[in-house]
Amino acid sequence: MPDSRSSSSATSPVVERIEDVDVSTEMQGSFLEYAYSVIYSRALPDARDGLKPVQRRILYQMAEMGLRPDRGHVKSARVVGEVMGKLHPHGDAPIYDALVRLAQYFSLRVPLVDGHGNFGSLDDGPAAPRYTEARLAPPAMALTENLDEDVVDFIPNYDGQFQQPEVLPAAFPNLLVNGATGIAVGMATNMAPHNLIEVVAAAIHLLQHPDATVEELMEFVPGPDLPSGGIIVGLDGIKDAYTNGRGTFRTRAKASIESLGPRRTGIVITELPYLVGPERVIEKIKDAVQAKKLTGIADVTDLTDRNNGLRLVIGIKTGFDPKAVLEQLYRLTPLEDSFGINNVALVDGQPQTLGLREMLRVYIDHRIRVVTRRSEFRLARKRERLHLVEGLLIAILDIDEVIQVIRSSDDSEEARTRLQEVFDLSHPQAEYILELRLRRLTKFSRIELEAERDQLNAEIAQLVELLGSETLLRQQVARELDAAADAYGTPRRTMLLNGGPVQPRSARAAAAAVDLQIADAPCRVYLSATGRMVRAELVADAPAGGVVPPARRSKHDAIRSSVDTTTRGDIGAVTSAGRLVRFSPVDLPSVPANSVQVAAGTKVEQYLALAKGEKVVALVPLVDSPTIALGTEQGVVKRVAATELGTKDEIEIISLRDGDRVVGAAPAGDNAELVFIASDAQLLRFEASSVRPQGRSAGGMAGIRLSDGARVIDFAVVGASAFDAVVVTVAGSSAALPGTDAGSAKVSAFTEFPAKGRATGGVRAQRLLRGEDALVLAWVGTDPRAVGPDGSVRALPDAGAKRDASGQPLDAVVGAIGTVVR
């Protein structure tokens, strides 16, 4: 009997197809397809909305699911399933990883997803998607708004069953605000986050000035603003990145040296570099101590909690300099880290390396297209509605004839045709009239339709005007950007310090002795009237004063106080709370000797970590200094000898009464004169020798006799320059809201005011005009300069007015008075 299997195979032979393929050609083609997929569909963000495809699909699908900020959270697993099933042709793990990053406040400067549950930390991963919940954050609504108004193109999903946006409308420059990171094939991207308010200001400036340079844009965006705060040291690398798309900068933890108890000092870390967790820092510190690379560390305690935020306390052994230990920590641990900027993004489907100006330009062009398409969509819809409204008005005016035409017609098709012929209507108008309800035939409905017609005509005219003007389009984009900044912007978190170029790390450098890498050279520290500090180098061949004359000045160039010192020397800051804070200017922003830009300085309250409401009234030298004179708001004067200041970092140099505060301070020898100016327009001038020096704990003595309700608004010390000094007074109404009343001002020679004895009432400094009841500002010195609340320069009257003359009206509000940069 024949084998059935043999007969079966004989009747249906298997046909084999073998093709010879060149392995190298196949590998090249497969690799190019893989590279294309990674570059365009996974790793690189689009320069227009700053999102990778998976991020864009997550936000779009969550918006389609109705997961708005005003609705409840849903399981993250549900979001992942919807995105994976409809839009993203990959597994659930990368989708959830992208969703988690969109919700992490320490990863994004403006989080786009509102997460509920454990979304991870810098040291630990998130919980599984079945345990966490999510919904859109308010800023994400600004990225996805108006998608139903044909503002962007839609493309098919991976199987052609659904549609997805090619790019989101993006109401703010998300690429710059939140940054991006990704590794593609043959290229990578690493973008730093920025402050939304600053980026929007730069975008608006570029909208209004298309030829703006990178230097001009950096006046609005001086550097990245990292979610974790910290300090950026060295701005040269940032400028390189803003110019050509690549650069490197250093980030440092925000640290302060505090007393942890009697004779015990510690370093307290409150902000860490970007994406550096406290556990990683603690581990590196322990490794360095065990390897004997780091000395002086007693213990490390992590006191971080939800109420107080990050607080890492590093105890210092007795006899060790905390500043030197901190420098070693910066060298050997992640308390100082570097960030390499590589701005690679997709532009018109092509990966490009972009500078600041190019990134803003791509976004602005995209946003103009979005506003144009939205306006065209709205114009078409309003014209369609106006067409129907006009047809309804025709029908209501001749309603009896319309009803007769309809009733005499055999069917709806005949009725529609006859309506078009009798009343000259279009097909949509006739169809709309046939569907008209009887309740729309009232007299009030006619009035409503006429009002709607007029409103539609006005809106159509506005849209036509908007679409016909490039200027109006740009203004509309600027208004919407400004609104987004107001809604979602937050103050800057990262402090910028110009610490010079980035130094590469190496084992040899880490093992070297502590060196701040800044020469202990002569410098001058400036305190501006707007509360910023900066240091400028002194040169030996400069003119009188030692500083090279500034080649240009910023709008913040009114100086309240200045001190000559050295880079590593100590100077004192006298505060309104009666404290003297000793500090070194080594970490202050350094400006070029020929261009003193006080605006580039750091805010004094951030640099010195002052208490809320406490302000610095003056800087004083601590080396070879005469006694320091202080004046308070309640008219108390005090002189403190330099020998009483000691060596502590913070001391109380006057015991203030309840409600009193220091308004001025300066070094004052016996030959100097002290000046009080009160709000009731009284000026008292007397010799400093009449005030004997007291100890630190003393409360001072009577300086000026004040009338009821009056207070001291300025205290100054005038030395050998008395003949060149002037007195500037600004009068106004005490009942006016701050910043609303410009008032009047007067500039008089200091010699116009006679000297009186201490504890007397002084002489009148200005005659008040009608509507004025007090002096609101006063200042004594040489080369006066007034600035507004924003730091911009204000014009003052010419000098030479009599001491008791009335002031001249000011054109704008004066916020502070100081002297010019010298």
Side-chain angles (χ1 to χ4, degrees), residues 463-686:
L463 289 171
V464 170
E465 184 182 9
L466 177 65
L467 290 170
S469 172
E470 180 73 17
T471 302
L472 293 179
L473 275 173
R474 289 178 173 271
Q475 291 175 356
Q476 179 65 25
V477 172
R479 282 193 295 268
E480 294 179 6
L481 281 171
D482 200 41
D486 290 339
Y488 312 117
T490 55
R492 167 172 280 275
R493 299 175 185 173
T494 303
M495 184 188 301
L496 302 176
L497 295 179
N498 189 6
V502 177
Q503 299 294 335
R505 280 197 181 187
S506 63
R508 180 179 179 183
V514 175
D515 185 5
L516 297 182
Q517 298 180 352
I518 299 177
D520 192 19
C523 66
R524 177 171 295 164
V525 180
Y526 291 99
L527 171 66
S528 75
T530 52
R532 292 180 176 270
M533 281 199 305
V534 72
R535 61 181 173 88
E537 301 172 356
L538 297 179
V539 294
D541 56 349
V547 180
V548 174
R552 57 190 180 97
R553 299 187 178 114
S554 70
K555 64 179 182 179
H556 298 276
D557 61 356
I559 303 302
R560 182 177 183 86
S561 182
S562 63
V563 171
D564 289 345
T565 180
T566 62
T567 307
R568 298 185 191 176
D570 285 341
I571 58 177
V574 180
T575 73
S576 57
R579 296 193 307 142
L580 185 139
V581 180
R582 181 188 298 267
F583 70 95
S584 172
V586 65
D587 286 327
L588 279 177
S590 176
V591 296
N594 62 347
S595 181
V596 178
Q597 293 288 325
V598 184
T602 186
K603 292 183 178 180
V604 64
E605 61 269 18
Q606 293 181 352
Y607 190 78
L608 300 180
L610 302 180
K612 185 177 181 180
E614 187 177 14
K615 298 183 180 298
V616 173
V617 299
L619 302 178
V620 294
L622 300 179
V623 179
D624 298 330
S625 173
T627 57
I628 298 174
L630 303 93
T632 75
E633 193 175 69
Q634 296 180 4
V636 175
V637 65
K638 180 182 178 181
R639 291 174 71 203
V640 183
T643 55
E644 292 286 334
L645 301 181
T647 59
K648 294 184 178 180
D649 291 340
E650 298 180 9
I651 60 172
E652 183 183 65
I653 56 175
I654 183 172
S655 296
L656 295 173
R657 303 171 185 170
D658 292 340
D660 200 6
R661 66 187 186 96
V662 177
V663 296
D670 291 339
N671 296 328
E673 290 189 89
L674 310 182
V675 185
F676 279 94
I677 303 179
S679 59
D680 59 354
Q682 294 295 116
L683 182 148
L684 176 62
R685 164 188 175 187
F686 58 90

Side-chain angles (χ1 to χ4, degrees), residues 45-245:
D46 194 296
R48 295 170 290 180
D49 61 5
L51 297 172
K52 299 178 185 178
V54 63
Q55 296 171 330
R56 186 179 304 112
R57 291 162 181 163
I58 289 172
L59 297 180
Y60 171 68
Q61 190 60 44
M62 291 180 72
E64 288 293 294
M65 295 169 64
L67 304 182
R68 299 176 175 274
D70 56 349
R71 299 183 182 179
H73 297 78
V74 302
K75 288 287 186 181
S76 299
R78 178 183 167 190
V79 176
V80 172
E82 289 285 322
V83 174
M84 181 173 59
K86 294 182 177 180
L87 302 178
H88 198 61
H90 297 283
D92 57 343
I95 298 175
Y96 185 58
D97 289 343
L99 174 66
V100 166
R101 188 177 188 276
L102 291 174
Q104 290 176 335
Y105 66 91
F106 51 83
S107 295
L108 300 187
R109 186 60 179 83
V110 179
L112 302 176
V113 171
D114 179 11
H116 182 68
N118 179 15
F119 275 78
S121 66
L122 289 167
D123 298 305
D124 297 308
R130 61 183 179 273
Y131 298 123
T132 61
E133 299 176 344
R135 65 183 178 187
L136 290 177
M141 302 303 298
L143 294 182
T144 58
E145 64 181 356
N146 306 130
L147 278 173
D148 57 345
E149 294 185 296
D150 192 34
V151 292
V152 296
D153 293 331
F154 276 71
I155 57 177
N157 71 329
Y158 59 90
D159 60 3
Q161 296 187 25
F162 299 97
Q163 294 288 312
Q164 60 182 338
E166 182 184 26
V167 66
L168 294 185
F172 60 86
N174 181 63
L175 182 66
L176 273 166
V177 172
N178 280 325
T181 180
I183 301 175
V185 178
M187 62 186 66
T189 183
N190 197 33
M191 302 185 184
H194 290 77
N195 186 272
L196 174 59
I197 298 175
E198 297 175 352
V199 171
V200 165
I204 293 176
H205 181 77
L206 190 59
L207 266 168
Q208 298 170 347
H209 306 85
D211 297 329
T213 62
V214 174
E215 289 74 13
E216 292 173 353
L217 295 177
M218 286 188 67
E219 294 182 4
F220 300 94
V221 185
D225 187 21
L226 307 177
S228 57
I231 301 171
I232 291 179
V233 183
L235 305 183
D236 292 340
I238 295 174
K239 185 174 181 180
D240 293 339
Y242 287 167
T243 303
N244 53 44

Side-chain angles (χ1 to χ4, degrees), residues 235-558:
L235 305 183
D236 292 340
I238 295 174
K239 185 174 181 180
D240 293 339
Y242 287 167
T243 303
N244 53 44
R246 294 181 180 178
T248 305
F249 63 87
R250 286 178 297 168
T251 59
R252 277 188 172 186
K254 188 175 182 180
S256 60
I257 299 173
E258 299 181 9
S259 175
L260 305 181
R263 297 180 299 278
R264 189 163 181 261
T265 304
I267 299 172
V268 178
I269 310 296
T270 55
E271 295 176 4
L272 288 174
Y274 186 40
L275 300 180
V276 173
E279 292 185 9
R280 179 184 166 195
V281 173
I282 294 173
E283 180 182 358
K284 291 296 183 180
I285 292 176
K286 290 181 179 179
D287 292 344
V289 171
Q290 292 176 358
K292 300 187 182 303
K293 295 180 180 179
L294 185 60
T295 58
I297 302 294
D299 52 52
V300 182
T301 307
D302 188 3
L303 301 179
T304 303
D305 57 34
R306 292 185 177 181
N307 296 326
N308 300 317
L310 176 69
R311 186 174 177 84
L312 193 62
V313 180
I314 304 172
I316 304 300
K317 293 181 180 179
T318 304
F320 283 83
D321 184 3
K323 295 181 181 179
V325 174
L326 180 58
E327 286 298 324
Q328 289 184 352
L329 287 170
Y330 283 144
R331 288 178 178 275
L332 301 173
T333 71
L335 289 182
E336 178 177 303
D337 201 4
S338 62
F339 188 97
I341 299 177
N342 188 23
N343 296 330
V344 178
L346 296 177
V347 180
D348 295 331
Q350 300 293 327
Q352 294 184 16
T353 302
L354 306 172
L356 175 63
R357 189 175 184 275
E358 289 74 21
M359 285 189 285
L360 289 174
R361 172 64 63 195
V362 171
Y363 172 77
I364 289 172
D365 293 343
H366 168 63
R367 194 60 192 171
I368 290 176
R369 284 193 294 269
V370 167
V371 174
T372 301
R373 293 181 59 164
R374 184 187 65 195
S375 301
E376 291 173 346
F377 178 88
R378 292 178 178 178
L379 178 61
R381 294 298 177 269
K382 292 185 183 299
R383 282 175 171 168
E384 291 175 1
R385 177 59 185 169
L386 177 62
H387 186 62
L388 297 178
V389 169
E390 289 174 342
L392 283 179
L393 285 172
I394 293 174
I396 290 177
L397 288 174
D398 300 316
I399 190 61
D400 294 334
E401 188 175 353
V402 169
I403 294 174
Q404 180 63 31
V405 170
I406 296 174
R407 291 187 62 182
S408 61
S409 300
D410 295 334
D411 52 29
S412 59
E413 183 66 30
E414 182 183 352
R416 180 169 56 250
T417 304
R418 292 181 61 192
L419 284 175
Q420 291 179 240
E421 294 173 351
V422 173
F423 298 100
D424 193 20
L425 299 175
S426 66
H427 183 279
Q429 286 177 324
E431 186 69 29
Y432 195 61
I433 291 172
L434 287 174
E435 297 176 358
L436 183 68
R437 295 185 178 183
L438 292 178
R439 65 183 180 183
R440 296 296 304 272
L441 302 180
T442 63
K443 181 179 178 181
F444 184 70
S445 294
R446 176 184 170 185
I447 296 174
E448 285 182 333
L449 288 172
E450 289 176 346
E452 184 181 358
R453 178 195 62 191
D454 296 339
Q455 182 179 356
L456 285 170
N457 281 321
E459 292 175 349
I460 288 173
Q462 290 179 355
L463 289 171
V464 170
E465 184 182 9
L466 177 65
L467 290 170
S469 172
E470 180 73 17
T471 302
L472 293 179
L473 275 173
R474 289 178 173 271
Q475 291 175 356
Q476 179 65 25
V477 172
R479 282 193 295 268
E480 294 179 6
L481 281 171
D482 200 41
D486 290 339
Y488 312 117
T490 55
R492 167 172 280 275
R493 299 175 185 173
T494 303
M495 184 188 301
L496 302 176
L497 295 179
N498 189 6
V502 177
Q503 299 294 335
R505 280 197 181 187
S506 63
R508 180 179 179 183
V514 175
D515 185 5
L516 297 182
Q517 298 180 352
I518 299 177
D520 192 19
C523 66
R524 177 171 295 164
V525 180
Y526 291 99
L527 171 66
S528 75
T530 52
R532 292 180 176 270
M533 281 199 305
V534 72
R535 61 181 173 88
E537 301 172 356
L538 297 179
V539 294
D541 56 349
V547 180
V548 174
R552 57 190 180 97
R553 299 187 178 114
S554 70
K555 64 179 182 179
H556 298 276
D557 61 356

